Amino acid sequence: LLADGYRVFVEASPHPVLVLGMQETFEEAGVEAAAVPTLRRDQGDRRQLAQALAHAHTAGLRVDWRPWFPEESRTVVDLPTYAFQRERYWLDGRTGTSQDAAGFGLVSTGHPLLGAVTELAERDGFVFVARVSAQGCGWLGEHRVLESVLVPGAALVEWVLR
């Protein structure tokens, strides 16, 4: 299939077992190609399927997103066509907090310091996201070493255990 020009391969199974072997084959052949797993054990829900579709889309497959985003819920935004139009497209001010995980497209952890979490797509693991500041956490401002505010070791251990 690689010799015939195919570059995206979708593994439709209840748990990806061929993806690693396919990626090794791509590397040995010196070809840029993508292996897209669909479902994962104990994670066969719409979110996992949406991640698989997004992976396929970024790998170059044409995905029909209309069933996922009905026309009445879509918003069309004009993007700049020229990079130097001197128009800002950044949000002014802070619109959410680290506890507002939905604003990031993530899931809330329910943890007082670790605001949001997402699962890594390529391997077993998670990424936790939070904003910790001396102003937001009064106790953090009291933990200083040589006039520098540091996160206490106990908090780091708590994060790792989480």
Side-chain angles (χ1 to χ4, degrees), residues 49-50 52-55 57 62-70 74:
L49 183 58
L53 287 172
H55 187 173
H57 176 75
R62 186 179 309 254
V63 175
D64 183 4
W65 292 106
R66 289 176 295 186
W68 287 87
F69 303 103
R74 282 185 251 160

Side-chain angles (χ1 to χ4, degrees), residues 10-153:
V10 177
E11 180 179 358
S13 70
H15 190 71
V17 293
L18 302 175
V19 170
L20 184 60
M22 287 190 284
Q23 291 171 337
E24 289 173 354
T25 302
F26 305 154
E27 289 173 12
E28 288 174 10
V31 175
E32 278 199 42
V36 179
T38 52
L39 302 175
R40 292 187 185 278
R41 188 174 295 118
D42 299 325
Q43 297 176 8
D45 57 3
R46 287 180 55 94
R47 181 170 182 236
Q48 181 62 39
L49 183 58
Q51 286 179 337
L53 287 172
H55 187 173
H57 176 75
T58 58
L61 286 182
R62 186 179 309 254
V63 175
D64 183 4
W65 292 106
R66 289 176 295 186
W68 287 87
F69 303 103
E71 193 164 333
E72 61 273 3
S73 69
R74 282 185 251 160
T75 303
V76 177
V77 178
D78 292 327
L79 297 176
T81 56
Y82 182 68
F84 303 103
Q85 287 181 318
R86 307 268 188 246
E87 291 184 44
R88 292 192 53 186
Y89 290 91
W90 300 106
L91 297 176
D92 291 325
R94 193 166 161 209
T95 58
T97 67
S98 62
Q99 301 302 318
D100 183 17
F104 299 118
L106 306 173
V107 177
S108 177
T109 63
H111 190 277
L113 295 177
L114 300 173
V117 64
T118 188
E119 186 173 359
L120 294 174
E122 295 295 322
R123 60 180 186 265
D124 291 336
F126 298 90
V127 173
F128 290 88
V129 180
R131 183 178 302 236
V132 179
S133 70
Q135 292 79 23
C137 302
W139 53 268
L140 183 59
E142 297 170 2
H143 192 264
R144 295 179 177 268
V145 175
L146 298 176
E147 297 306 313
S148 295
V149 176
L150 297 178
V151 175

